[in-house]
Amino acid sequence: TIAKSEVDAKRLEDTAPTDVLKTGIHQSMMDLAALAFKYSNPDDMPSILKHAARVAMVGIIYGNAPAGRPGEWKKMTRKQVQELIDNAGDCLTAKDHKTAKTEGPIGKYIPPGTLQAFVAYLSITSHDKPVFLQGAYRQGNVHMSNCLSRWCRAYTPKHGETTPTVMRKLYTTAVAD
């Protein structure tokens, strides 16, 4: 709708500039590395820090490369991400996504820094849950939009909050310009 487009345009305008996003992504990576260093056993990590790790990971995913839609990440499995790490790859395949019936699987480019963040994140999350991004209470209970808003408040506090849709538009707008 027009109203939604206007809201997204305002959010896009308020999104942190590239240099601020890069600084936030770098700090997120450092925070994940510190948590992985401190907590070798995920069961020892307080739930508030597990949430902080999830927020940092979502910020890295959406800020470091075009991430696509949230559903693709909600369904991404630990196994897929571990195989990417084991093979030192740079592309994850999302088979289950919004246009899968007509377009088939889509690839997601994973930059080297994001791959290293994956290593840290996997080391501090439960090995019992099959999903990559793990919710606090139930398997798959990750709200990407909420995590991305929290990431903005924590890592780019002088700028507006963003959403997965706005980040998609940020990348497509940057390419179009």
Side-chain angles (χ1 to χ4, degrees), residues 6-87:
E6 289 172 357
V7 168
D8 284 350
K10 175 70 173 129
R11 284 184 176 156
L12 190 57
E13 197 176 288
D14 292 343
T15 299
T18 304
D19 61 326
V20 175
L21 286 174
K22 285 182 180 181
T23 300
I25 292 163
H26 175 75
Q27 186 59 55
S28 298
M29 290 176 176
M30 298 301 291
D31 290 349
L32 275 178
L35 288 170
F37 180 77
K38 179 153 177 66
Y39 296 98
S40 58
N41 181 354
D43 295 333
D44 294 339
M45 183 184 285
S47 61
I48 190 74
L49 293 180
K50 288 179 183 179
H51 179 66
R54 184 172 45 257
V55 166
M57 190 71 256
V58 169
I60 293 165
I61 289 168
Y62 277 90
N64 213 23
R69 298 180 184 280
E72 300 156 11
W73 285 101
K74 287 181 182 180
K75 296 172 184 173
M76 198 67 66
T77 65
R78 283 184 68 86
K79 181 180 176 188
Q80 286 175 278
V81 174
Q82 189 61 59
E83 287 173 358
L84 178 76
I85 292 166
D86 293 345
N87 296 323

